Amino acid sequence: MKFKTLDWVDGALHMLDQRLLPNKVENVVLHTFEEVAESIKNLTVRGAPAIGVAAAYGMALAANRMELTEEEFSDEMERAGAVLRNARPTAVNLAWAVNRMLDVMEENGAIPLPEMRKFAIREAIKIHHEDASMCSKIGTNGAALLSDGMTILTHCNAGALATAGMGTALAVIYAAASQGKKLKVYADETRPVLQGARLTMWELMQEGIDATLITDNTAASVFAAGKIDAVIVGADRIAANGDVANKIGTYNVAVLAAHHGVPFYVAAPRSTFDMSLSDGSKIPIEERSGDEVVQIGGSRLAPANAKTFTPAFDVTPIQLITAIVSDEGVMPGGRA
Ligand code: MRU
């Protein structure tokens, strides 16, 4: 990739500021877990795997707060974990990464504090590298589903910007392209905050993939014209029965794909699966500020005080999914 979404440099977390893309390519440099939690909330970093990795670094920053004494350590880690976990509720990767940091620190509780601080950093870096490696495996596992000449539709951004590696849904496209397959991609703009227009288009164009931007409401006519051979999207949480929470509008695309007989693939790492929830109806769906709907780039689109409903995610039932591609392989869905 030609950019780094997250980077650990000299004891600080460097984060590509995704709020500014595609107009500016700038990093923010974070030194506290509170700053990391705020950056997750305000979408400086977004995408399920990326917010998990950011939260792991947030825990490492909490462990390295120098005024912290040995007696205060575990209470403070619990507090930092709760603040980070609460930053966004839907993507399970966030809680997964925080809980893993807490568990390994507790299991190694006998380590003296100076060593524990280094240990926390090493564990966060390990989570970062594991995420990158899971992305590559997803790419390899999914590439076999795509043939030369196909046109793929994607929704939101499930690329390198949403992970610590080459992405999930977009990793499949990058891996197939690297095998010499010529692919075309349609990117839904993805209202309200335009991850498709601002991020997926930027990322695909950086990587030399033939990408076309469409408004969300153009998707149906593109399917009807027979232009789409497959859909690939990411996931924020996958319940035990295979139902998938992903960016609002994913369900619309899944219904369209089923109606037009086009395969609908979901790509996600193990850290996105939540076996504690029996089905998608149990997945907590984040509601964001109505400002994201009534404004674009600070310009008002709707009357002042317009009522809004702004869920950030929806749930696609497993019956509408052809297959789920993970780092462990390809699992058939209800449309297989
Ligand atoms: O609100 P966002 O931008 O964090 O939503 C992101 C998505 O819905 C992605 O598709 C999902 O997190 C998978 S990213 C590999």
Side-chain angles (χ1 to χ4, degrees):
M1 293 295 142
K2 298 192 174 96
F3 55 89
K4 280 186 179 162
T5 301
L6 296 165
D7 202 9
W8 182 256
V9 184
D10 297 335
L13 179 58
H14 290 228
M15 193 180 265
L16 184 56
D17 190 340
Q18 301 194 29
R19 296 168 305 174
L20 306 179
L21 288 171
N23 297 319
K24 283 189 191 156
V25 182
E26 262 177 38
N27 277 337
V28 292
V29 180
L30 309 177
H31 297 97
T32 66
F33 77 82
E34 290 92 343
E35 287 171 346
V36 176
E38 188 50 35
S39 303
I40 292 172
K41 263 189 210 153
N42 70 21
L43 309 183
T44 303
V45 64
R46 30 66 51 202
I51 63 177
V53 174
Y57 282 123
M59 292 300 290
L61 288 168
N64 279 272
R65 186 168 269 174
M66 283 309 155
E67 59 272 22
L68 202 59
T69 64
E70 202 117 9
E71 294 69 50
E72 293 163 340
F73 189 78
S74 70
D75 282 355
E76 184 60 7
M77 288 306 100
E78 288 293 340
R79 190 176 78 84
V83 170
L84 286 161
R85 251 191 246 110
N86 288 335
R88 292 192 79 188
T90 302
V92 74
N93 312 59
L94 184 55
W96 173 87
V98 167
N99 294 344
R100 173 160 154 186
M101 292 294 289
L102 286 171
D103 289 349
V104 293
M105 286 193 271
E106 197 185 318
E107 280 158 25
N108 293 277
I111 301 177
L113 189 51
E115 283 309 306
M116 182 60 96
R117 296 189 201 279
K118 292 186 201 146
F119 179 79
I121 295 173
R122 281 201 301 274
E123 189 66 19
I125 292 173
K126 204 165 147 196
I127 290 176
H128 186 152
H129 289 163
E130 283 174 16
D131 186 64
S133 137
M134 285 193 281
C135 288
S136 305
K137 288 183 186 151
I138 290 170
T140 310
N141 292 339
L145 300 168
L146 305 184
S147 336
D148 190 30
M150 272 188 164
T151 299
I152 318 298
L153 183 132
T154 192
H155 189 75
C156 193
N157 173 265
L161 287 167
T163 66
M166 62 197 279
T168 58
L170 298 192
V172 173
I173 291 169
Y174 295 140
S178 76
Q179 295 168 355
K181 296 173 188 168
K182 291 247 172 308
L183 303 171
K184 287 192 171 135
V185 178
Y186 276 91
D188 277 350
E189 64 171 347
T190 318
R191 277 283 282 147
V193 292
L194 301 170
Q195 289 93 332
R198 296 186 302 106
L199 308 178
T200 297
M201 285 304 288
W202 182 78
E203 182 178 331
L204 290 174
M205 289 167 74
Q206 295 270 317
E207 297 303 316
I209 304 283
D210 180 348
T212 302
L213 177 64
I214 55 172
T215 60
D216 298 326
N217 50 9
T218 302
S221 56
V222 175
F223 275 100
K227 290 188 179 166
I228 308 297
D229 301 304
V231 176
I232 309 182
V233 296
D236 285 82
R237 197 185 291 226
I238 303 178
N241 73 338
D243 291 350
V244 168
N246 191 50
K247 178 52 55 195
I248 190 77
T250 301
Y251 178 39
N252 307 34
V253 179
V255 171
L256 283 172
H259 181 74
H260 291 281
V262 169
F264 183 92
Y265 301 118
V266 174
R270 261 166 300 166
S271 50
T272 304
F273 288 75
D274 184 352
M275 292 303 164
S276 74
L277 301 184
S278 54
D279 63 69
S281 68
K282 319 274 186 325
I283 298 175
I285 300 294
E286 176 183 9
E287 262 195 57
R288 295 192 59 89
S289 159
D291 288 350
E292 291 184 354
V293 178
V294 299
Q295 294 178 11
I296 288 189
S299 291
R300 176 168 284 284
L301 306 172
N305 304 323
K307 272 210 275 182
T308 57
F309 174 49
T310 53
F313 303 97
D314 59 24
V315 174
T316 299
I318 185 67
Q319 291 77 9
L320 292 179
I321 297 170
T322 308
I324 300 179
V325 183
S326 84
D327 45 303
E328 293 187 332
V330 178
M331 289 156 276
R335 279 190 57 214

